[in-house]
Amino acid sequence: MTTKQLIESLLFISGRPMSETKLTEILQKDVKEVRIAAEELMKEWNVPERGVHVIKTGSSYQMATNPDVAYLVKDFVKSEQSGELSRPSLETLTIIAYRGPITKPELEQIRGVNCSLILRNLLIKGLVEAREDQEKMATVYSISFDLLKFLGVNRVEELPDFQKLNSDENLKKLLEQKLEQASDEPAPPVAEPSQ
């Protein structure tokens, strides 16, 4: 894999700007090599025929939609934001409200299903916020100030039965056991490419 391919993959999954410093740290590459590869990506992607561009602000890069299709993206995001929440979205939002800040793996242990799409939709709607937790070395999710305002509470602790549901020791022990089991399981074998 080339540095350019690796950066492209990271920008695609990130969903937020990535600095040259962060890219060099993850890829364990020289900053000059990262900068050259990122600039090459911009030349390849930033053409009228592409629906996605690689944009740069300062020393950070991010994938974004082509400005020529901004009208379409704006309409799509507006419909995503104004739509009603599904039952799985409400369940996820409730867990985040009562157990947050919470990581995606912890959330998925509680729900028992992948929550990537639901988290994306909740972020788009502005109901949850994501931040990097240096202690956990992961992204954690919490409810947003907008949701607190909508619910008419000044802080998350004012939600009904918050103390009881937030400090459930049984759930905490179960989560710890599941996370330990997941980290102890061997990685699945990688299939050899066919010749």
Side-chain angles (χ1 to χ4, degrees):
M1 282 279 189
T2 67
T3 302
K4 186 169 64 172
Q5 289 171 310
L6 296 171
I7 292 172
E8 185 176 25
S9 297
L10 290 171
L11 293 179
F12 179 75
I13 64 161
S14 173
R16 67 183 88 160
M18 293 191 77
S19 68
E20 288 174 353
T21 305
K22 186 71 172 173
L23 289 168
T24 58
E25 179 184 308
I26 293 170
L27 300 174
Q28 299 178 347
K29 303 279 185 182
D30 177 72
V31 69
K32 185 177 179 182
E33 183 180 349
V34 167
R35 187 175 297 131
I36 290 169
E39 295 295 328
E40 287 176 10
L41 273 176
M42 290 180 71
K43 286 178 188 171
E44 285 178 25
W45 282 89
N46 298 358
V47 294
E49 299 81 29
R50 293 278 194 159
V52 175
H53 284 188
V54 175
I55 59 174
K56 180 180 181 184
T57 305
S59 64
S60 294
Y61 301 88
Q62 182 175 16
M63 281 195 157
T65 54
N66 181 333
D68 293 340
V69 295
Y71 69 94
L72 179 66
V73 174
K74 182 179 176 185
D75 290 345
F76 174 76
V77 170
K78 185 177 179 182
S79 70
E80 286 282 300
Q81 288 177 329
S82 61
E84 289 186 20
L85 292 178
S86 64
R87 183 180 174 132
S89 293
L90 285 171
E91 288 173 3
T92 303
L93 188 58
T94 302
I95 293 167
I96 293 170
Y98 283 93
R99 303 298 299 181
I102 188 169
T103 65
K104 183 175 170 277
E106 291 170 335
L107 183 59
E108 290 172 345
Q109 286 294 328
I110 293 171
R111 291 208 62 242
V113 295
N114 184 311
C115 297
S116 297
L117 186 59
I118 291 171
L119 284 171
R120 182 189 72 85
N121 289 337
L122 292 174
L123 287 164
I124 288 171
K125 290 177 184 290
L127 300 174
V128 299
E129 297 171 346
R131 69 174 171 78
E132 292 299 316
D133 185 316
Q134 297 302 321
E135 241 179 75
K136 292 183 178 183
M137 300 280 289
T139 302
V140 292
Y141 299 89
S142 303
I143 60 171
S144 68
F145 285 105
D146 288 341
L147 181 59
L148 285 177
K149 287 190 281 188
F150 177 78
L151 294 174
V153 295
N154 295 317
R155 53 184 194 194
V156 72
E157 291 82 6
E158 293 177 13
L159 292 171
D161 296 323
F162 179 82
Q163 292 304 322
K164 178 182 175 189
L165 296 172
N166 181 261
S167 62
D168 183 353
E169 287 302 314
N170 292 331
L171 182 57
K172 192 173 182 177
K173 287 177 186 172
L174 177 65
L175 276 176
E176 288 170 359
Q177 286 175 345
K178 292 281 188 181
L179 289 174
E180 283 176 20
Q181 287 172 355
S183 65
D184 290 343
E185 290 177 5
V190 178
E192 292 292 323
S194 58
Q195 303 258 341

